Amino acid sequence: MYGRNFDKYERKYFPKNEKPGDLCERIKKIITKTGLHSSVVEYGAFNKMMGFAAIAAGDEKKAVNHLIESHAVLHRQQVNLRYKKTEIRDNCGYTYKFGVNPSHLKFNVDCQEDSQSLESKLAELPREWYMVQLTQPYKPCKWLPEASNSVHPLHLTVLPTGPKAIAPFTITVPAPDNSMYDLCADVKNLLDTNKSSLQAEYGNHSMYWKMRQKQNNRMMTAVKEMEYNWLREWRLLLIADSLENSDDTREMIGIVDKLIADDRSLTPLSPKTVWLLRKVSTTAGYLSKTEIARLITVILPDNKKLASNLILSIVSKSKTATKLRQEKRKTTVLIVDEEIDYLPLEAMEILQDHPVTRFPSLHVAYAMFKEHEESIVEGCKVMVINEESGMGIVNPSNNLPKMEKRLRIFMDYWLPKWRTIYNALPEEEGLANAFVNALVNHEIMMYNGHGSGIQYLPGEKIEKLRVRAAVLLFGCGSVKLVPIGGRFPPYGVSNQYLTACSPCTLGMNWEVTDLDTDRMTSCFISTWIPSKAEKSWNYIDFEKWSNGTLEFKSNLERGKKEQFNDTTSPFFEPEMLRAVAISKKVCLQFMTKAAIVVRGLPVKVKWNE
């Protein structure tokens, strides 16, 4: 019922006089007859077509399965290839294995109930995750510039996790009806010119800062367009549930449940419908009255009386609903289609204050969960750390002296026992070996330099490691998925870190400037990683530190010590994703804030003296 809001799209791309169910079956026969393997690029497009056809035929279960199967086809095949190489090496006497076990990537796309089914895999995943998949629908000739750069409909697939969750479902959001502004085209144009704009020479500082402000304004406009005119009221599907239901949450859910129980309609509501109505009530603080009314009217098209009662009751509780915006929420796990990974989803108002991570596909998310399952507690991979658990590589190119000076001051003060390498390495150790040491023998690896560091340790070598560290890449475009060209999907070094089983990778989705990034880096590290420093980094005088001087604000009580290994400190946040959300607020440029992305598992540190 909710998927029928893409009629224009359906008429444009659906063959005339073709029944959706028949088309789906014909595509499956083609795949079977030709022996089309998942390594073939067209396999992803075929699954999008079958998902689209299943939606049109009203078979939601089949639609969800095929939309999931359409994601990260090339990456999954590369994981298989890498693991096969380890097996070949094993036969030749090499015992060291690396890479994600491809058996965890297996998925029964035919909706059969077994250990490989979607429901069984989702039931294994932590209840503390709130998982949503965003899929660009099938589009003929999508690799052509005029097709790939324009805004389009969007499949939002909700994937509830845990043993007692409802069945997954999908809703198709139409393209925004705004012929005057195309947010996808504008964001791509902005990102394509971002690097040249930052590197250009300007006659004076005023001209440079006007350019930066123009960039910020364009990105903010695009984010608002995405949130309020593209996703519209369906953005509520991206808002994670409360981690634990408060009294206010229970009150809002109780209102919905009572009205449903009192309804005298002979037609019982499906679990999906009840879930959606509860979702509207608990996220009403993010929605306008008009949006609440539109949602409930669409969810209950055949029960106007119940819909009217629900609208009036939820709107009347606006104060309670607004308070729910402050609830501590589950981790939002976004499964993002590689074709739309450039979009700054985390910068939306509904996500900016909450923990968010990305995966390219559910297959990869499940595989990473299985690889680290023994150390995952309450939805987070727990890393036990001490004062020497991390390693930093700063300014290896030796041409970022101001950044190096700032970070040297910070690291010497906050993490003096980390092994941090600046601008030059010992003669006996190459830079590639330093990277390997940081990735394999430490819990945290921090890189502050140009790009992602693959100029020192290529991605092909990363894949041959069993990466232990959470990887922090504070360089320009360090986790960007780069368009390869033709029909192939975008690809980036973050995929190679996932292949090497790294728990997670933090980085930038496009080019950023060093000062703003350094502010975020110091705030994030000092919030997430405990220290025995005497004073909290929250009291640093950022202006003086930016110019290379360590000085704290005078209003800090002298002599007072704040031991950050004491987890009761108000500034300590052991969950990495929550610390990232906090630290983004110190960014002075919206372009920097919107560029920060985490890919991989939620991670939590546990201090060990």
Side-chain angles (χ1 to χ4, degrees), residues 40-56:
V40 180
V41 175
E42 283 77 8
Y43 182 78
F46 272 126
N47 273 284
K48 285 186 177 182
M49 290 173 66
M50 286 191 283
F52 177 42
I55 291 173

Side-chain angles (χ1 to χ4, degrees), residues 255-314:
I255 290 171
V256 173
D257 290 349
K258 186 176 187 307
L259 287 172
I260 292 174
D262 293 343
D263 180 53
R264 297 182 179 180
S265 173
L266 297 177
T267 306
L269 301 181
S270 68
K272 171 185 172 182
T273 300
V274 174
W275 187 94
L276 283 169
L277 292 173
R278 289 176 174 177
K279 190 70 174 177
V280 174
S281 71
T282 56
T283 59
Y286 290 93
L287 304 168
S288 67
K289 295 179 181 179
T290 303
E291 289 174 328
I292 293 170
R294 274 204 306 261
L295 276 167
I296 294 178
T297 301
V298 171
I299 295 168
L300 294 172
D302 302 320
N303 195 332
K304 293 183 179 180
K305 183 178 180 181
L306 177 58
S308 177
N309 290 338
L310 283 166
I311 293 168
L312 291 172
S313 298
I314 292 172

Side-chain angles (χ1 to χ4, degrees), residues 1 38 110 181 222 260 331 375 402 462 544 550 552 607:
M1 62 180 166
S38 60
D110 294 321
Y181 178 72
I260 292 174
T331 297
S375 59
K402 292 182 179 179
I462 293 171
K544 292 183 178 179
L550 179 65
F552 291 87
W607 183 260

Side-chain angles (χ1 to χ4, degrees), residues 312-538:
L312 291 172
S313 298
I314 292 172
V315 169
S316 69
K317 290 290 183 178
S318 59
K319 289 185 178 180
T320 303
T322 301
K323 285 197 295 181
L324 292 183
R325 292 179 60 136
Q326 307 304 318
E327 293 270 278
K328 187 174 184 179
R329 299 190 177 275
K330 296 180 179 181
T331 297
T332 302
V333 179
L334 298 178
I335 309 295
V336 185
D337 192 324
E338 295 150 316
E339 300 293 344
I340 57 173
D341 188 79
Y342 64 91
L343 291 172
L345 301 165
E346 293 85 349
M348 292 189 293
E349 183 184 10
I350 55 173
L351 296 179
Q352 64 182 0
D353 296 324
H354 303 290
V356 183
T357 188
R358 296 188 184 194
F359 279 102
S361 74
L362 175 61
H363 310 71
V364 177
Y366 177 80
M368 290 298 294
F369 167 76
K370 296 301 289 185
E371 291 286 347
H372 296 272
E373 187 173 11
E374 292 183 359
S375 59
I376 293 178
V377 179
E378 296 180 346
C380 289
K381 175 181 171 59
V382 176
M383 298 194 313
V384 180
I385 65 170
N386 56 36
E387 294 179 86
E388 301 175 351
S389 292
M391 181 171 171
I393 299 174
V394 178
N395 188 25
S397 59
N398 198 20
N399 59 2
L400 296 168
K402 292 182 179 179
M403 181 197 76
E404 180 187 330
K405 187 174 184 179
R406 286 190 291 265
L407 291 180
R408 188 187 288 269
I409 290 171
F410 169 70
M411 296 300 288
D412 287 348
Y413 177 76
W414 196 257
L415 296 170
K417 292 191 177 181
W418 271 35
R419 185 190 173 203
T420 306
I421 299 170
Y422 301 94
N423 70 56
L425 290 169
E427 291 295 329
E428 68 274 9
E429 183 180 31
L431 194 50
N433 290 335
F435 264 92
V436 171
N437 180 24
L439 294 172
V440 174
N441 298 319
H442 294 78
E443 304 300 329
I444 303 164
M445 192 281 278
M446 182 182 77
Y447 169 77
N448 300 80
H450 294 296
S452 62
I454 57 172
Q455 62 270 44
Y456 308 113
L457 182 66
E460 292 74 16
K461 291 187 177 180
I462 293 171
E463 290 181 357
K464 296 179 181 179
L465 304 173
R466 176 76 183 192
V467 175
R468 168 182 167 186
V471 181
L472 314 177
L473 304 174
F474 292 105
C476 292
S478 52
V479 295
K480 176 183 179 180
L481 298 188
V482 181
I484 297 174
R487 295 171 295 168
F488 286 89
Y491 195 76
V493 70
S494 58
N495 288 356
Q496 293 170 307
Y497 275 114
L498 286 172
T499 301
C501 294
S502 172
C504 67
T505 307
L506 178 151
M508 306 294 165
N509 227 8
W510 53 77
E511 294 78 11
V512 291
T513 49
D514 59 345
L515 177 56
D516 218 22
T517 305
D518 294 346
R519 286 172 60 95
M520 182 270 169
T521 300
S522 65
C523 180
F524 164 63
I525 295 292
S526 61
T527 301
W528 182 44
I529 302 176
S531 169
K532 292 185 177 180
E534 291 187 356
K535 301 175 184 177
S536 163
W537 191 256
N538 275 45

